[in-house]
Amino acid sequence: MEQTLTAWLFPTLALVAGIAIGFLVARLAPSAAPNRTQRQLDDMQERFDSYQSEVVTHFNTTANLVRKLTQSYQEVQEHLSEGASRLALDELTRQRLLATLHSEELTAPRERLTPPKSNEAPKDYAPKVADVPGTLDAAFGLKK
């Protein structure tokens, strides 16, 4: 019986001692882990703020460049209109040049910005008409 008690007593004491040592180490060392985690969190927040600032700067610059591009385009159109009015030899030529300039001005942007006519996804097959055989029919495309 004494051997059984000893066999259980040493592992139990070792377990209690391990728990006590682990508890003491955990109580004394937790200050290192939260500070490191907090530093990482602060670093990530700083990088995120920097990224947001760069994005705002990028889009402000893009908006300014697009505004300048639009203004330059308008100046070119005005220059061409003045040149057509001043340099055209006869009235018919002048009217044709001005009509061409103004028709491009009105139609070009609208062609690109029109929304699709349907939100339906494109089909990867030809739709079947009631009286005509489908594309998978054995007689499709054959002349009778």
Side-chain angles (χ1 to χ4, degrees):
M1 173 142 169
E2 215 172 280
Q3 287 180 344
T4 308
L5 181 64
T6 307
W8 284 100
L9 184 63
F10 285 127
T12 306
L13 287 176
L15 178 66
V16 170
I19 290 174
I21 291 171
F23 180 75
L24 288 175
V25 169
R27 291 295 274 175
L28 296 176
S31 60
N35 286 339
R36 186 179 56 143
T37 305
Q38 186 63 39
R39 280 194 312 266
Q40 287 176 341
L41 182 63
D42 291 342
D43 183 46
M44 292 291 286
Q45 184 65 40
E46 184 178 322
R47 287 175 36 201
F48 179 69
D49 291 342
S50 173
Y51 174 75
Q52 280 185 324
S53 175
E54 288 180 33
V55 168
V56 168
T57 303
H58 168 76
F59 282 110
N60 284 337
T61 304
T62 302
N64 287 333
L65 291 173
V66 168
R67 183 182 46 78
K68 287 179 185 177
L69 181 65
T70 303
Q71 184 179 6
S72 295
Y73 177 75
Q74 289 172 349
E75 290 173 1
V76 167
Q77 285 288 16
E78 290 173 9
H79 174 72
L80 290 173
S81 294
E82 289 172 7
S85 296
R86 234 179 341 113
L87 300 174
L89 298 176
D90 60 348
E91 187 62 31
L92 179 62
T93 306
R94 181 179 300 121
Q95 293 302 323
R96 287 176 49 203
L97 288 173
L98 290 174
T100 303
L101 284 174
H102 293 298
S103 69
E104 288 177 4
E105 186 177 292
L106 296 176
T107 59
R110 290 189 181 154
E111 289 176 16
R112 289 188 330 181
L113 298 177
T114 55
K117 294 179 176 125
S118 171
N119 288 338
E120 183 179 354
K123 296 181 172 113
D124 58 350
Y125 60 89
K128 183 178 178 311
V129 181
D131 295 337
V132 179
T135 55
L136 297 178
D137 189 88
F140 180 75
L142 299 177
K143 294 181 180 176
K144 295 182 183 183

